[in-house]
């Protein structure tokens, strides 16, 4: 386990993942009944953007650094409103400032949005990351930190006692067959808790394994997932993180419309080279729907 999220915190992939997570949590809060967030690969919980690791890659400058902070320009009001749960969590981690120096990881974002009746289980296998995570979570009574292998944790934690849950699955993709593992873990998890909202992150380097992953999911009895993908550059070099995707199973019915407003702005701002960004937003099990270029600045969705 060599992966350390401190090199990548706040990059374009975090922006997409955390913006979607925050919208899902905002939706869950519309009902008074408590729910639980289960973060299977939680990371360290918070990150200094001034750390040697963050400075080494500078990835956050191409992520949250293009959304908040000096010189970024205001977001369109509708996008600002939809991103407010996410951006407020980032501002909260920065003492209310719009100039990010710290970045909250997924457990910190969840905690900043959860209500007193809700709960968080943050699971992290790496001992040092888990120690930092425990520090980040502090004595918050809504949160529990665990140190199991994520796939074992899912077996132990599903279904949650509240019978309402958001499960974030965000593996580091260090091993070649991680997508196959995700697929298997999802199938098992859905058997235990079919009604959960599952948010699964995946990298897009070479698009071919991703297409195979989508095809394999069609064979599983996965309830119609929402596929959300953001490309920051064309996938000409399959060694680079050219984009990333999220699979949202049992997505809130509002999410697709919300993302159709958010994604054109994210793909425009987060593109490595101007006009090279694109996105995909699809709620059918079809694949092969053309990406929408940020340059065209129009929203393409399908059902
Ligand atoms: N979810 C975090 C966020 O958005 O802020 C980032 C998590 S990072 C991409 C993936 C994390 O998974 C790393 O901290 C890594 O140590 C941890 N990890 C790797 N293999 C794991 C496993 N089998 N079970 C649980 N955690 C694992």
């Amino acid at each position: 386990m060599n992966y350390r999220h401190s090199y990548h915190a706040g990059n374009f992939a975090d922006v997409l993942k955390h913006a979607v997570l925050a919208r899902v949590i905002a939706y869950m809060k519309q009902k008074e009944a408590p729910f639980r967030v289960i973060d299977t690969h939680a990371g360290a919980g918070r990150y200094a953007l001034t750390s040697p690791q963050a400075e080494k890659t500078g990835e956050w400058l191409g992520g949250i650094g293009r959304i908040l902070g000096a010189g970024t320009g205001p977001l369109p009001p509708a996008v600002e409103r939809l991103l407010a749960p996410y951006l407020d969590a980032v501002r909260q981690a920065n003492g209310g400032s719009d100039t990010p120096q710290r970045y909250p990881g997924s457990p910190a974002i969840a905690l900043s949005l959860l209500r007193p009746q809700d709960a968080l289980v943050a699971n992290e296998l790496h001992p040092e990351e888990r120690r930092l995570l425990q520090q980040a979570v502090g004595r918050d009574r809504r949160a529990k930190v665990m140190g199991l292998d994520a796939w074992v944790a899912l077996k132990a934690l599903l279904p949650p006692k509240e019978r309402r849950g958001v499960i974030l699955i965000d593996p580091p993709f260090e091993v070649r067959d991680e997508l196959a593992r995700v697929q298997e873990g999802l199938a098992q998890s859905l058997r235990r808790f079919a009604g959960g909202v599952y948010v699964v992150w995946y990298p897009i380097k070479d698009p071919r394994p991703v297409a195979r992953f989508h095809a394999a999911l069609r064979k599983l009895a996965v309830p119609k997932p929402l596929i959300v993908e953001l490309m920051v550059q064309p996938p000409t070099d399959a060694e680079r993180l050219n984009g990333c995707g999220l699979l949202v199973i049992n997505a809130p019915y509002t999410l697709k419309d919300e993302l159709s407003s958010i994604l054109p702005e994210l793909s425009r701002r987060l593109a490595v080279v101007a006009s090279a960004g694109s996105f995909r937003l699809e709620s059918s099990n079809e694949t092969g729907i053309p990406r929408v270029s940020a340059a065209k600045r129009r929203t393409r969705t399908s059902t």
Side-chain angles (χ1 to χ4, degrees):
M1 291 208 306
N2 294 318
Y3 182 93
R4 292 292 171 280
H5 198 61
S6 45
Y7 288 95
H8 312 292
N11 68 2
F12 78 89
D14 266 7
V15 171
L16 179 71
K17 171 182 45 178
H18 295 154
V20 170
L21 176 68
R23 289 281 1 133
V24 169
I25 293 178
Y27 176 85
M28 296 293 281
K29 292 200 300 187
Q30 288 178 13
K31 277 195 190 159
E32 201 49 41
F35 64 92
R36 181 169 296 240
V37 174
I38 297 174
D39 192 343
T40 59
H41 301 74
R46 63 182 173 202
Y47 305 91
L49 298 176
T50 49
S51 72
Q53 294 92 326
E55 284 189 348
K56 183 169 179 196
T57 65
E59 285 188 21
W60 72 272
L61 294 166
I64 191 64
R66 294 199 185 165
I67 308 289
L68 274 187
T72 52
L75 290 162
V79 177
E80 172 73 45
R81 185 180 57 76
L82 289 166
L83 289 181
Y86 164 52
L87 294 181
D88 287 349
V90 180
R91 290 181 180 116
Q92 191 184 319
N94 286 281
S97 164
D98 257 10
T99 307
Q101 294 212 311
R102 288 178 288 274
Y103 189 79
S106 48
I109 289 175
L111 275 180
S112 81
L113 297 172
L114 294 184
R115 306 162 300 181
Q117 67 265 42
D118 304 320
L120 167 73
V121 178
N123 181 72
E124 168 58 47
L125 191 58
H126 193 284
E128 177 57 13
E129 298 293 274
R130 190 165 65 251
R131 189 184 65 75
L132 296 170
L133 171 64
Q134 188 65 69
Q135 270 178 12
V137 162
R139 291 168 185 262
D140 195 314
R141 295 165 71 97
R142 300 167 302 170
K144 183 175 172 191
V145 171
M146 290 176 57
L148 296 175
D149 172 74
W151 310 109
V152 175
L154 279 173
K155 282 189 196 151
L157 295 169
L158 297 180
K161 73 171 193 284
E162 297 84 357
R163 300 279 160 169
R164 301 184 71 216
V166 179
I167 299 99
L168 175 65
I169 301 178
D170 182 21
F173 287 88
E174 284 180 307
V175 288
R176 274 202 160 271
D177 63 347
E178 194 82 68
L179 276 174
R181 216 165 160 203
V182 167
Q183 194 184 310
E184 192 187 308
L186 260 182
Q188 282 178 1
S189 302
L190 281 160
R191 281 197 288 277
R192 285 171 186 270
F193 184 38
V197 181
Y198 294 82
V199 181
V200 184
W201 184 88
Y202 54 87
I204 306 179
K205 294 182 176 176
D206 177 354
R208 286 171 297 186
V210 175
R212 286 198 290 274
F213 174 57
H214 290 164
L217 286 172
R218 284 204 297 274
K219 292 189 198 133
L220 291 179
V222 173
K224 206 178 180 185
L226 183 64
I227 294 170
V228 186
E229 293 183 352
L230 177 69
M231 300 299 292
V232 293
Q233 58 195 355
T236 40
D237 179 351
E239 295 303 310
R240 298 180 74 102
L241 187 66
N242 298 304
C244 67
L246 293 166
L247 199 72
V248 189
I249 296 173
N250 296 319
Y253 78 97
T254 46
L255 187 62
K256 189 176 175 193
D257 270 359
E258 293 170 354
L259 290 174
S260 71
S261 300
I262 293 171
L263 286 171
E265 186 67 14
L266 290 191
S267 62
R268 190 179 67 77
R269 287 190 179 228
L270 301 177
V272 170
V273 178
S275 306
S278 64
F279 67 89
R280 174 178 176 186
L281 179 61
E282 188 190 315
S283 59
S284 74
N285 278 342
E286 303 291 318
T287 53
I289 298 220
R291 292 178 192 285
V292 181
S293 151
K296 291 186 186 151
R297 305 286 306 278
R298 68 188 162 81
T299 306
R300 166 77 176 268
T301 59
S302 66
T303 47

